[in-house]
Amino acid sequence: FDQQESAQQEASESMQRRGRLLCSSKHARNGTSSGSMDPQNDLQSEEGGDSFLKFIFTSKGPPQIILWSLFYAIAIGSTITVVPSVITDRYARINYQFDGHTCSSYGADEKPDECSAASNDAMNASAVNSFVENMLTFATSPLMGSISDE
């Protein structure tokens, strides 16, 4: 008798869940805001019940995505402007024993051979860096998507 009663209770709960899902999908099709079955909650949401910032800082996904994007933007913005000249000069001094002024101080026609070779090495390193960066983005995009869905 207990098994039959628990099966009936589970069936009743399942029907209630289906009713809620149908009602929420009906709200979504009609364009109403929250999709809840309570008209009072719908009215509160339409009037601006919770603020956007409160939602952002109390939910799991958005703060991590915002922080990740901020760090990424700072990293790219702080390195992209100085890397080519610094790396070219560094490679010229370390790999080719260049001992003159910085390589960026020379014009295109008067650049020493060491600086030209170092520039090629720097471009190769930049290509490898871009490849690794794009592979990491490709690998971590699903992770970021799952965090944003929570």
Side-chain angles (χ1 to χ4, degrees), residues 1-147:
F1 182 73
D2 289 334
Q3 288 178 341
Q4 187 180 18
E5 189 176 303
S6 67
Q8 287 176 345
Q9 187 176 10
E10 286 178 20
S12 172
E13 289 173 1
S14 175
M15 292 295 284
Q16 288 176 349
R17 272 189 250 120
R18 284 186 199 152
R20 281 190 221 117
L21 286 174
L22 286 174
C23 187
S24 66
S25 67
K26 181 179 170 185
H27 280 285
R29 274 184 264 128
N30 291 338
T32 54
S33 64
S34 69
S36 70
M37 291 177 57
D38 186 12
Q40 187 68 23
N41 280 346
D42 284 347
L43 184 61
Q44 182 182 6
S45 296
E46 288 172 5
E47 292 174 354
D50 287 338
S51 73
F52 175 72
L53 290 177
K54 183 177 178 184
F55 169 75
I56 290 291
F57 290 114
T58 58
S59 62
K60 287 185 178 181
Q64 289 89 353
I65 292 172
I66 290 170
L67 188 63
W68 181 270
S69 298
L70 180 67
F71 285 149
Y72 188 72
I74 290 171
I76 294 296
S78 64
T79 60
I80 203 159
T81 58
V82 296
V83 167
S85 62
V86 170
I87 295 298
T88 297
D89 192 60
R90 196 73 183 142
Y91 281 174
R93 294 184 191 288
I94 291 173
N95 296 342
Y96 301 101
Q97 290 74 37
F98 179 65
D99 200 22
H101 294 289
T102 60
C103 288
S104 60
S105 65
Y106 293 103
D109 295 335
E110 55 194 37
K111 192 175 274 193
D113 291 337
E114 294 90 354
C115 290
S116 296
S119 179
N120 290 336
D121 290 348
M123 283 189 267
N124 289 336
S126 178
V128 169
N129 179 47
S130 293
F131 177 75
V132 170
E133 178 183 356
N134 290 331
M135 288 298 109
L136 287 173
T137 301
F138 179 74
T140 59
S141 290
L143 175 64
M144 295 304 293
S146 68
I147 290 173

